[in-house]
Structure formats: C-alpha cells, structure tokens
Amino acid sequence: MIKKDDIFCLALSITLAILVLKDTTFELPKFFNYSAIGIAILLVMFKVAYFDVKTNIKSGILGIIFFIISAISCIKIGRGIGILLIPIFMIGAYQINFKKIVKTFLYTNTSIVVLVVTSFKIGIISEVVSNRNGILRHSFGFSWPTDFVSMIVYILLADLYLALIEKKRMLFREVLYILLAVFTYSYCNSRLGSFYIILLVPLSAYLYWWQIKQRKIKFEFVKKYFFIICTILSILIVFLYKNNPNNIFMYNLNDLSSNRLALTVDNLNLHGLTIWGQYIYNQADSSVSSWNFIDSVYWAFLIEYGVILFVLFECIYIKAIKRFISSRQNMLIIILMLLCLMAVFEIHFYALEYNIFLLSFFAKLPSES
C-alpha cells in the first residue's frame, strides 16, 4: 500500500540533497539538478492529488494563493526556483508526521555535510578561503563559511527538537555544542553562527527542565506575533543605522554583523521596497568590489521577495502559531521564536534546505506531553 509519508519524505530527501549540494563547490550538471527536483515536485503533486484533494479544501485554497504569489515573486526575482519550493513542500507536508519530516532533514543534511567535508579533505572538491581582519575563514567545501556554519546550526536545532520531544538527556549534546562552537569560531570565524551554537547550551538545559516540568509558555501575544515583533526590530535597527551610522553603538553593530547594516541601507536606497519582488544583484564575496547581499530575512522580503508575499507569509505564520498554542507545541514555538530572532541578521530562515521548521505549519504534529 502506498504511504503518503514515504512519498513525501522521499521527495523531500531528494530536494534537500540537491539544494544543499548547490551550496557547495560540487559542480553537478544543471540537467541533473533540475531533473531530480522535477521528480521530487511530481512526487509531492501526486501525494497532494491522491491523498489531500478532497480533505483539505480551506488549507488548499490558502496554499494555492501562497503558491501563485510565490510564483510571481520567483519570476520577478529571476534567480532559480528556491523560493517556489517553500509553498510546494509546505502544502505537501499537510498531515505528514512532522517528526518524520525532521528526521528526514536530519539524516539527509547530516549525510550531505559529511560527504562534502570528506570530499574536501581527500581533495575531490576545493573550499573557499576568505580573509577577515587577518583571520582565515574556511568553508570546508561549502560555497561560503557562513553557509557551512548555518547548516550546522539548523541541523543541531532539528536534533534538539527531536531530543526534546523524545525526552532524551542533553549532556552529550551540550558538550558537542561547546566543541562545535569553538571549532566554527576558530576555523570559520563565524561570529554570529558560533554564538548561536554556544547559545544552545543553556537553551537545551532550560528546555529539557521545562519539558520535564510540563511548563506552559506565558505571554501568548508575544508568541503569536513574534515574527512581526522581529520585523519591527529589524526595521528599527536598519533605520537607526541609516540615520546615524557614526553612532558608536550602531557602528560597532554593523562591524560585528560584517557590514550587513550598511549593505541593507545601500540596497534600500538603490532599489527601494517592492510589491511583487525584484531582481537584486547578489555577490557574497568581500574580496571583490561588487560585494553585495541582503542578510536579513525581513529586509530580503521587503526589498527582494515582495511586500505581498511578506504579508501573506506573516498571516500563515500567525495562523500556524495559534494552532501550535492550542495543541501545546511549546518546544516548537520556542525554536521558531529563536529562528525569528536569528533572522534579523540571517537569510536562511526562508530556505527549505536550512529551515525545516517551516514545514510544521501544515504538518501533523507529534505530542510533546
């Protein structure tokens, strides 16, 4: 008998593998990439058509609107179909066991990371080495050191979520977090990424205690609207820097964030906000004069992806959080809040190959009790 979970997880695994490999120095043929992702999309479409078409009318309408607006933004942006894969797999995740989804992500992405690092170490592929203030930054086969460290962060968060809902002890993981934080800071000089990893030490200990004690999260308003709160925070920070770049605090914050604030202000002045999306030149290499990127999800939405898609995604996020609150998905809510906060200075929140927690919005959630 055909099982919808197996179909979806196979499609997800194929897509994750291709997307992660595209963020490395592996040079796979474009025909192979498109063919593999095309097969995965067909599998998701089959799952939706066969299992969901008669049982998910309201969510289906919302999903179609989400897909259409994402398609418009994707065309306007003109850089691959990554942004379009998010609504496809969010819709496809309807009534799929989220625990299986997270395990698929964890096993697939960990395997690809091991493959990439091993391939680099034995000389099959190269790495990107950059210099920041005299410190060499290694990518270990990934396209950029930040991508490598961000992938580690999201893999650790997926593992932490599974460990929490299964009530596994945290000591081994906490030691691993410390070792990985030291390693990534020493060899990749990824300051924010390494900080997020070391932050998992107190966070995991506290959440484990919280889970055992069956505590409830208070301040429901903050939980529901934390994405909007972080949006306001991100906008406020950028405008404070824009209006007073020589302020000692804002100057140091821009320096600590590797010039992210200055680049966001430059893109805002050059391109302005967009309703449906627009093409933004992206070159994340500080060794060239054309270096340019937007490394904040909130500003990427406003300047590149489009305000319409941004507003729609916020509505979907709030709707999902309300469902999580009613079903007492406390660990999932806290992890999403952490990811929202990270997204102020991080672009991978809205990338399928990194943020697997986006698929929780329509998925079947396991009990945390």
Side-chain angles (χ1 to χ4, degrees):
M1 183 179 178
I2 300 174
K3 294 183 178 181
K4 60 182 179 181
D5 288 47
D6 295 339
I7 295 172
F8 180 80
C9 288
L10 173 61
L12 179 62
S13 185
I14 293 170
T15 304
L16 290 175
I18 296 298
L19 292 178
V20 176
L21 285 172
K22 284 181 66 178
D23 273 348
T24 71
T25 56
F26 269 109
E27 295 183 3
L28 298 177
K30 288 185 177 181
F31 175 78
F32 175 79
N33 291 339
Y34 290 136
S35 298
I37 290 180
I39 291 171
I41 292 174
L42 288 175
L43 287 171
V44 174
M45 291 173 62
F46 171 77
K47 180 266 175 186
V48 172
Y50 190 80
F51 293 100
D52 302 339
V53 71
K54 295 181 180 180
T55 59
N56 188 18
I57 296 176
K58 288 184 179 180
S59 294
I61 293 172
L62 178 61
I64 290 170
I65 295 171
F66 188 25
F67 175 82
I68 292 172
I69 293 177
S70 296
I72 294 171
S73 296
C74 186
I75 293 168
K76 292 282 188 178
I77 293 168
R79 187 166 46 246
I81 63 170
I83 198 173
L84 194 56
L85 292 174
I86 293 172
I88 290 173
F89 278 88
M90 283 178 64
I91 295 166
Y94 176 74
Q95 285 299 302
I96 300 296
N97 188 319
F98 185 58
K99 187 175 177 180
K100 288 185 178 179
I101 292 175
V102 177
K103 285 186 175 181
T104 300
F105 169 86
L106 186 61
Y107 298 152
T108 302
N109 285 32
T110 302
S111 299
I112 297 298
V113 169
V114 171
L115 172 65
V116 170
V117 173
T118 303
S119 298
F120 158 67
K121 295 301 290 184
I122 64 178
I124 296 177
I125 61 173
S126 60
E127 71 163 344
V128 176
V129 180
S130 60
N131 187 308
R132 179 161 64 190
N133 300 325
I135 301 174
L136 294 180
R137 306 182 66 206
H138 298 271
S139 72
F140 294 94
F142 276 74
S143 300
W144 194 244
T146 303
D147 293 334
F148 173 61
V149 179
S150 292
M151 182 58 67
I152 292 175
V153 172
Y154 279 92
I155 287 174
L156 293 177
L157 282 171
D159 173 73
L160 175 60
Y161 171 74
L162 291 174
L164 286 169
I165 63 174
E166 294 173 0
K167 293 185 174 60
K168 294 182 179 178
R169 295 191 178 276
M170 294 293 155
L171 181 59
F172 169 77
R173 286 173 172 80
E174 289 160 0
V175 173
L176 180 63
Y177 298 155
I178 295 171
L179 294 176
L180 285 173
V182 173
F183 173 81
T184 54
Y185 185 77
S186 300
Y187 289 95
C188 306
N189 194 231
S190 179
R191 294 171 294 194
L192 286 175
S194 301
F195 171 74
Y196 296 145
I197 295 174
I198 202 66
L199 184 63
L200 294 180
V201 176
L203 181 66
S204 61
Y206 182 65
L207 290 181
Y208 177 77
W209 172 82
W210 199 353
Q211 181 78 327
I212 295 298
K213 296 294 184 180
Q214 290 290 300
R215 300 282 182 174
K216 289 184 64 178
I217 309 175
K218 299 180 181 179
F219 309 108
E220 288 199 5
F221 177 86
V222 175
K223 289 186 291 183
K224 289 178 185 177
Y225 302 107
F226 197 69
F227 190 86
I228 296 177
I229 292 170
C230 289
T231 302
I232 296 170
L233 175 64
S234 181
I235 292 172
L236 180 63
I237 290 172
V238 167
F239 273 97
L240 284 173
Y241 177 81
K242 183 176 186 289
N243 294 326
N244 201 358
N246 294 320
N247 175 274
I248 187 66
F249 176 78
M250 299 310 300
Y251 178 87
N252 288 330
L253 183 60
N254 179 60
D255 182 62
L256 181 64
S257 66
S258 302
N259 213 36
R260 283 174 170 87
L261 296 180
L263 288 171
T264 301
V265 169
D266 289 345
N267 279 285
L268 179 61
N269 291 335
L270 181 62
H271 301 286
L273 306 184
T274 177
I275 299 297
W276 294 105
Q278 62 182 330
Y279 173 78
I280 302 293
Y281 174 76
N282 192 345
Q283 174 58 265
D285 184 353
S286 59
S287 65
V288 299
S289 59
S290 57
W291 183 30
N292 182 64
F293 63 93
I294 301 173
D295 209 0
S296 166
V297 161
Y298 308 105
W299 283 103
F301 267 113
L302 295 171
I303 298 175
E304 186 174 8
Y305 304 160
V307 173
I308 298 295
L309 181 60
F310 189 32
V311 172
L312 178 59
F313 179 78
E314 287 205 2
C315 292
I316 293 172
Y317 180 92
I318 293 169
K319 183 175 182 293
I321 293 296
K322 288 180 179 178
R323 180 168 75 99
F324 299 162
I325 291 172
S326 64
S327 57
R328 300 188 65 180
Q329 297 290 326
N330 294 322
M331 300 301 105
L332 180 57
I333 292 171
I334 292 173
I335 289 176
L336 283 168
M337 291 174 70
L338 174 63
L339 291 175
C340 287
L341 197 58
M342 288 167 52
V344 174
F345 289 110
E346 212 262 346
I347 194 65
H348 295 115
F349 178 95
Y350 205 67
L352 179 64
E353 67 270 33
Y354 289 86
N355 190 3
I356 197 62
F357 295 98
L358 294 175
L359 302 192
S360 65
F361 292 2
F362 296 119
K364 181 180 179 181
L365 301 173
S367 173
E368 292 188 4
S369 300

